Amino acid sequence: MRVLGIETSCDETGLAVYDSEQGLLAHALYSQIELHREFGGVVPELASRDHIRKMTGLTDEVLAQANSSLKDIDAIAYTAGPGLIGALLVGTAFANALAYANDIPSVGVHHLEGHLLAPMLEKEQPDFPFLALIVSGGHTLIAVVRGLGDYDILGSTLDDAAGEAFDKTAKLLGLPYPGGPELAKLAERGDHTAFDFPRPMLNKANLDFSFSGLKTAVYYAIKDLQSEHQTLNEQQKADIAASFQQAVVDSLIGKVKRALKQTGLQQLVVAGGVGANLELRQQLKDLMQQKNGQVFYPRHEFCTDNGAMIAYAGCQRLLAGDQQAHTARPRWSIEEIGL
């Protein structure tokens, strides 16, 4: 089966072609970072319009890369949710119209299922069941993945996602959008012990996360320094960035440790944009070595939103007999999808 995958949940237009026998044949991604940079964050209406502008051209590009035409495509998979409703509607409408015009099935894919299965695009893959940590701008959660459509959420964020906290803290420090990667770079020059920021929920017995209190602590730390020195110098900014990053990493590591002990699993999948953070990766590597376990990541370009993970997840669902053409769903629990 050869599947065209379409991802438009937020501000990145991703297209890919996946073949059930040959694997990933091609993928293309257009990021809207420059479009939204002047606003300091994603503007939903602009995101939707830009998906419309790029969709047809990226489809032609990815088909050409795969040496395929629409006649070679057996089905279309698209992100049905969760995400920005306008952006989701663009991908949903385009995918279903294309499927109807070519008399082929289409299947709506849950965005987080794409992230959970993204490491399956690599040569080294985890075996079911495994523990998964998703850390992105919109989601932070820990889940047990038993198989396609069989997911048990053990814990999630009660407020801000980890990536959102990175971006908001970066904004407090005056860093350009997108702030997460910029903050991580700045943290390399800082002292992570300079500020004793809180690790919310770390000592709670559950596996939930909370990052809004941490963000507030950073805000007041900056205010205190500004009252003393008027403006922050570069070293102070670096120290705040490093201390904040360490607090987030400590929170994530602490919950992963508890989840590993609770489930007895020794394979960990890490997905989402924050999964590319080098400090987090190093500490997770050390943790899994101590546990005689193994950690898996998608390749760097597939940590963030992309069409390849949607094409793969959609292909697996179609092979399993799923042909549900879901409408766009901005809010959608992954535990609802089943198979």
Side-chain angles (χ1 to χ4, degrees):
M1 178 175 287
R2 186 164 293 189
V3 177
L4 175 68
I6 300 172
E7 155 63 23
T8 63
S9 64
C10 190
D11 63 335
E12 288 166 318
T13 313
L15 276 292
V17 176
Y18 181 85
D19 188 283
S20 58
E21 293 184 355
Q22 300 177 50
L24 184 64
L25 300 182
H27 65 95
L29 183 73
Y30 177 79
S31 174
Q32 300 175 4
I33 285 176
E34 292 302 322
L35 174 66
H36 300 287
R37 178 165 282 151
E38 65 175 299
F39 304 103
V42 177
V43 181
E45 179 62 24
L46 294 181
S48 304
R49 293 178 184 181
D50 215 45
H51 285 309
I52 294 171
R53 280 192 288 265
K54 296 296 187 293
M55 188 66 70
T56 303
L58 280 176
T59 300
D60 292 340
E61 179 184 331
V62 81
L63 287 172
Q65 287 180 16
N67 293 317
S68 301
S69 69
L70 282 172
K71 293 181 180 179
D72 301 313
I73 299 300
D74 299 304
I76 298 177
Y78 59 93
T79 301
L84 301 176
I85 183 59
L88 290 169
L89 281 169
V90 174
T92 299
F94 184 83
N96 285 302
L98 204 59
Y100 181 81
N102 289 274
D103 194 25
I104 56 177
S106 62
V107 61
V109 174
H110 194 289
H111 181 72
L112 295 186
E113 181 169 64
H115 277 304
L116 288 172
L117 300 180
M120 299 301 187
L121 290 163
E122 310 305 326
K123 291 182 179 179
E124 192 173 16
Q125 305 171 358
D127 297 318
F128 296 118
F130 57 79
L131 188 70
L133 171 68
I134 294 183
V135 273
S136 66
H139 307 277
T140 300
L141 60 84
I142 295 179
V144 174
V145 180
R146 297 188 177 88
L148 182 68
D150 189 357
Y151 313 112
D152 184 13
I153 306 301
L154 303 181
S156 59
T157 181
L158 303 180
D159 39 62
D160 292 351
E164 183 182 3
F166 263 91
D167 287 339
K168 288 181 176 178
T169 300
K171 195 169 185 177
L172 290 174
L173 291 171
L175 300 176
Y177 173 84
E182 295 293 333
L183 187 146
K185 289 179 186 176
L186 181 61
E188 294 175 6
R189 307 196 300 270
D191 176 6
H192 70 268
T193 65
F195 295 87
D196 186 20
F197 291 136
R199 275 69 169 160
M201 304 290 290
L202 187 57
N203 295 319
K204 298 287 185 180
N206 60 38
L207 294 171
D208 290 325
F209 301 92
S210 172
F211 296 105
S212 63
L214 170 58
K215 180 189 63 184
T216 302
V218 173
Y219 171 80
Y220 283 113
I222 292 172
K223 286 296 182 184
D224 288 344
L225 287 172
Q226 287 175 334
S227 66
E228 295 175 14
H229 307 286
Q230 298 300 317
T231 59
L232 272 64
N233 60 46
E234 289 305 306
Q235 188 57 52
Q236 288 172 326
K237 289 182 179 181
D239 289 345
I240 290 172
S243 300
F244 165 82
Q245 177 177 260
Q246 192 61 55
V248 173
V249 170
D250 285 351
S251 298
L252 294 171
I253 294 292
K255 296 295 183 174
V256 169
K257 280 183 181 178
R258 185 168 292 149
L260 290 168
K261 183 177 181 180
Q262 180 176 311
T263 61
L265 296 171
Q266 289 188 297
Q267 293 183 110
L268 173 68
V269 160
V270 182
V274 182
N277 182 279
L278 296 179
E279 183 63 29
L280 176 61
R281 285 196 171 211
Q282 183 58 54
Q283 293 201 31
L284 284 173
K285 179 183 177 182
D286 293 343
L287 171 64
M288 296 311 290
Q289 285 179 342
Q290 293 169 13
K291 301 285 186 181
N292 294 317
Q294 195 171 4
V295 60
F296 299 85
Y297 299 94
R299 69 195 72 171
H300 194 275
E301 60 196 310
F302 293 162
C303 285
T304 53
D305 298 348
N306 62 87
M309 66 182 191
I310 302 304
Y312 175 83
C315 183
Q316 304 314 306
R317 286 197 156 267
L318 287 157
L319 290 171
D322 183 4
Q323 292 187 17
Q324 294 188 64
H326 294 282
T327 56
R329 300 183 63 177
R331 294 184 180 275
W332 189 13
S333 170
I334 194 170
E335 292 180 298
E336 296 175 12
I337 61 176
L339 184 62

